[in-house]
Amino acid sequence: PQREMRYQSLMEELRCLVCQNQSLADSNAELAQDLRKKVYDMITTGNDDKEILDFLTDRYGNLFFTIRS
């Protein structure tokens, strides 16, 4: 339950890199689907939100952020 809440929160807060006016939760882009899976996998393996955001920033830059920045 707590992992699912964290996951949903991150998906709503992070912007899709392909369709930048949508969150990862709302996007149907293939990249968004891949990133949803990656974030879910990172949560289930014990990564905290900061580690996830750091990974995404290191890999893709600051374009992800909608609410947190």
Side-chain angles (χ1 to χ4, degrees):
Q2 185 177 3
R3 287 181 184 171
E4 184 64 25
M5 288 174 52
R6 282 182 54 216
Y7 173 77
Q8 291 300 328
S9 177
L10 284 170
M11 293 303 97
E12 291 296 329
E13 292 178 19
L14 296 173
R15 174 182 15 226
C16 175
L17 294 173
V18 176
C19 30
Q20 293 183 7
N21 61 340
Q22 291 184 307
S23 69
L24 284 180
D26 296 332
S27 176
N28 291 324
E30 188 174 332
L31 178 61
Q33 293 172 18
D34 292 343
L35 291 172
R36 286 193 295 265
K37 181 178 182 340
K38 178 63 176 173
V39 169
Y40 184 81
D41 290 346
M42 291 181 78
I43 288 172
T44 59
T45 58
N47 294 94
D48 64 25
D49 289 359
K50 183 180 180 332
E51 291 171 321
I52 294 168
L53 296 175
D54 287 348
F55 167 80
L56 294 172
T57 301
D58 289 347
R59 186 146 188 181
Y60 299 100
N62 289 329
L63 294 175
F64 263 106
F65 303 112
T66 56
I67 296 174
R68 292 186 197 183
S69 56

